[in-house]
Amino acid sequence: MRHGRIVTPKDLPERTARLLKALADLHIPVTASQEDDEAARLKVHTAGFLHYLSTAWERWQALPDHGPEVWPNTFPYWSGRPEDRARPDCPAEHILAQTGWYLGDLSVSLGPDSWRSIRASANTAVAAADAIAADRGVAYALCRPSGHHARADRASGFCFLNNTAIAAQRLRQTFDRVAILDVDAHHGDGTQQIFYSRQDVLTISVHADPANYYPFFTGYEGERGTGAGDGFNLNLPLVHGATGDAMFAAVDRAAEAIRAFRADVVVIALGFDTHARDPIGVLKLESADFAGIATRVRELNLPMLVVQEGGYAIDAIGDCLTAFLTALS
Ligand SMILES: [Zn+2]
């Protein structure tokens, strides 16, 4: 639903096919995660939210005259304040009540295979985190659906489980200090919320100015963390129309903060919707600019987990990934 209209979805399965092809062309071996790790999900998300996601489709089928997808038609009050933590579980039992409580907007409809995909995406991030915990190298998690808009208790913006946050939390088993750098075009609002009061995970997001761009309500420079996490969140909004140079300057600032934090490992939340041809984008990067981002993060010389977030220009995303991974290695 966009501007009052049902529109053609932008997050298409073809995205994954294009990214897999880029990996094959680079001769990068691909492995599928084998384990379904519920414990890893529970370390980041609330039990009520996970129970909802895992049962919603089946319960929706029991509604009289149910539609083809699970969609909310109630919207309980939510302040949008970044310091607000996870809410208590939904007090009501009805599927419509819980759908309003747990699905934050109209971009996160659920179908018969959604939970399987959502779980597989999170499991992929966990497996990639375990790989770099073992070899201290570099791994890329080809996640779909994306994760960085998912809060501890709320899906939104094409995101259900926060793959990046789940992976970062997993890395804390091995590393003391984890830095997350989100370079998707949209503010990583879910990731920010999950770690907002913590000092062991530094969260940095470079994104298009949210005053006129999703997710609108967060992503401003004044959001620095709260309590023990005060000073451990950094937002670097870019003016709409910004090109690679503005992104590079922001990544340089982020790298400086990651060094000052003395991070042991870095998680890159990598979106390609900063590309000039992205159908929902407002920034103007070219495919080759992703090499410039990778060069800068490589200079940190730390173990690195790259988690796929957004990017919807089907004909460009393979080139973006190729440029990024080639420069990273
Ligand atoms: Zn995005």
Side-chain angles (χ1 to χ4, degrees), residues 148-149 157-158 184-187 213 271-274 280 309-312:
H148 72 151
H149 296 306
F158 310 163
D184 185 278
H186 302 91
H187 175 230
Y213 196 56
F272 300 132
D273 43 9
T274 50
I280 59 172
E309 298 285 358
Y312 311 99

Side-chain angles (χ1 to χ4, degrees), residues 49 52-54 56-57 60 69-76 78 87 90 95-111 114 118 149 153-161 214:
F49 177 53
Y52 168 78
L53 286 178
S54 66
W57 174 253
W60 193 256
E69 293 184 327
V70 180
W71 258 26
N73 60 283
T74 65
F75 293 91
W78 173 67
R87 302 160 298 173
C90 180
I95 181 69
L96 290 182
Q98 294 192 1
T99 297
W101 192 262
Y102 293 119
L103 301 186
D105 62 33
L106 296 176
S107 78
V108 281
S109 53
L110 294 162
S114 297
I118 293 163
H149 296 306
D153 61 346
R154 188 170 174 272
S156 63
F158 310 163
C159 300
F160 299 86
L161 298 179
Y214 190 90

Side-chain angles (χ1 to χ4, degrees), residues 83-256:
E83 64 273 30
D84 280 359
R85 305 298 312 283
R87 302 160 298 173
D89 290 347
C90 180
E93 291 177 6
H94 199 281
I95 181 69
L96 290 182
Q98 294 192 1
T99 297
W101 192 262
Y102 293 119
L103 301 186
D105 62 33
L106 296 176
S107 78
V108 281
S109 53
L110 294 162
D113 297 321
S114 297
W115 177 236
R116 190 172 60 155
S117 298
I118 293 163
R119 260 188 314 172
S121 191
N123 288 333
T124 299
V126 171
D130 288 348
I132 67 162
D135 70 9
R136 302 294 200 270
V138 176
Y140 166 66
L142 207 183
C143 295
R144 182 178 173 273
S146 302
H148 72 151
H149 296 306
R151 291 177 164 243
D153 61 346
R154 188 170 174 272
S156 63
F158 310 163
C159 300
F160 299 86
L161 298 179
N162 195 315
N163 310 310
T164 290
I166 290 171
Q169 182 62 44
R170 180 69 151 215
L171 289 167
R172 279 286 292 105
Q173 292 182 1
T174 307
F175 302 96
D176 288 337
R177 300 164 81 81
V178 179
I180 299 173
L181 172 57
D182 186 323
V183 292
D184 185 278
H186 302 91
H187 175 230
D189 53 342
T191 315
Q192 170 175 297
Q193 180 253 343
I194 287 164
F195 298 113
Y196 206 59
S197 62
R198 287 171 52 172
Q199 56 189 333
D200 57 330
V201 180
L202 173 69
T203 47
I204 305 175
S205 181
V206 182
H207 48 264
D209 185 347
N212 288 295
Y213 196 56
Y214 190 90
F216 302 115
F217 312 116
T218 57
Y220 299 94
E221 281 171 290
E223 297 157 17
R224 301 297 312 269
T226 191
D230 189 15
F232 296 91
N233 185 75
L234 178 60
N235 285 328
L236 300 170
L238 304 177
V239 296
H240 294 198
T243 60
D245 287 343
M247 171 62 80
F248 300 155
V251 172
D252 284 339
R253 269 191 72 190
E256 202 177 298

